[in-house]
């Protein structure tokens, strides 16, 4: 059996794995019915849909009619930069405030791109900081420290 489209095959396997995970945990809760859904209904049904969708995508990648595509080499540095920026955000938010944490997460995760450029990263940073301030602080009135606590702001 030849995998003609590796990208589709592995994405199908990923969908199916996530679906099995959610469906497995969903069965630990009361299922209910479509009219009176229990807490396990949504994750179980969503998991089953993901498994079916993943199986269809993976099987279509095995077809002789599938477009031939290879999976590129895995870049560990990209994964570390993106996940690391999220971890830094979580660590920095209570100590350094929302603005510095957002600047850190956007710049570090932008650096993970193969097309990184300082100008685009800085513009992206300004836009995302302003958007987050508007949505989370002003529109939703969430209580985040905006600046580091040692500045007294």
């Amino acid at each position: 059996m030849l995998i003609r489209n590796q990208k589709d095959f592995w994405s199908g396997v990923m969908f199916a794995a996530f679906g099995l995970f959610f469906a497995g945990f969903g069965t630990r809760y009361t299922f209910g019915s479509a009219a009176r859904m229990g807490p396990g209904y949504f994750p179980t049904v969503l998991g089953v849909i993901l498994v079916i969708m993943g199986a269809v995508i993976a099987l279509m990648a095995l077809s002789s009619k599938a477009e031939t595509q290879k999976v590129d080499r895995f870049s560990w540095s990209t994964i570390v930069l993106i996940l690391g920026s999220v971890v830094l955000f979580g660590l920095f938010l209570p100590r350094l405030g929302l603005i510095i944490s957002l600047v850190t997460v956007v710049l570090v995760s932008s650096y993970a791109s193969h097309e990184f450029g300082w100008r685009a990263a800085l513009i992206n940073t300004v836009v995302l900081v302003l958007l987050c301030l508007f949505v989370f602080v002003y529109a939703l009135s969430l209580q985040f420290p905006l600046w580091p606590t040692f500045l007294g702001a």
Side-chain angles (χ1 to χ4, degrees):
M1 183 170 3
L2 177 67
I3 302 173
R4 292 189 47 87
N5 191 329
Q6 290 181 353
K7 288 183 179 183
D8 282 356
F9 178 79
W10 290 112
S11 65
V13 169
M14 181 188 68
F15 282 138
F18 277 114
L20 287 171
F21 176 79
F22 286 113
F25 275 101
T27 58
R28 294 181 177 191
Y29 300 103
T30 307
F31 189 76
S33 66
R36 290 188 54 89
M37 295 178 195
Y41 189 89
F42 183 75
T44 304
V45 170
L46 181 64
V48 169
I49 291 170
L50 280 173
V51 168
I52 292 168
M53 187 172 73
V56 168
I57 291 171
L59 289 173
M60 287 175 52
L62 300 174
S63 168
S64 60
K65 298 176 184 175
E67 176 185 347
T68 303
Q69 282 189 332
K70 300 283 184 198
V71 174
D72 295 333
R73 192 166 169 251
F74 196 75
S75 174
W76 284 103
S77 63
T78 301
I79 291 292
V80 168
L81 284 169
I82 291 173
L83 293 178
S85 69
V86 174
V87 170
L88 285 176
F89 180 81
L91 293 173
F92 286 178
L93 183 61
R95 294 166 187 81
L96 298 178
L98 181 66
I99 295 173
I100 294 175
S101 300
L102 284 171
V103 169
T104 303
V105 75
V106 174
L107 289 178
V108 172
S109 60
S110 294
Y111 190 71
S113 172
H114 301 294
E115 301 166 0
F116 176 77
W118 280 106
R119 184 171 186 256
L122 291 174
I123 291 170
N124 193 18
T125 300
V126 170
V127 169
L128 288 173
V129 167
L130 292 174
L131 181 69
C132 286
L133 283 174
F134 175 74
V135 170
F136 297 115
V137 177
Y138 301 113
L140 296 175
S141 299
L142 296 178
Q143 300 296 316
F144 289 117
L146 296 182
W147 296 103
T149 53
F150 59 82
L151 291 179

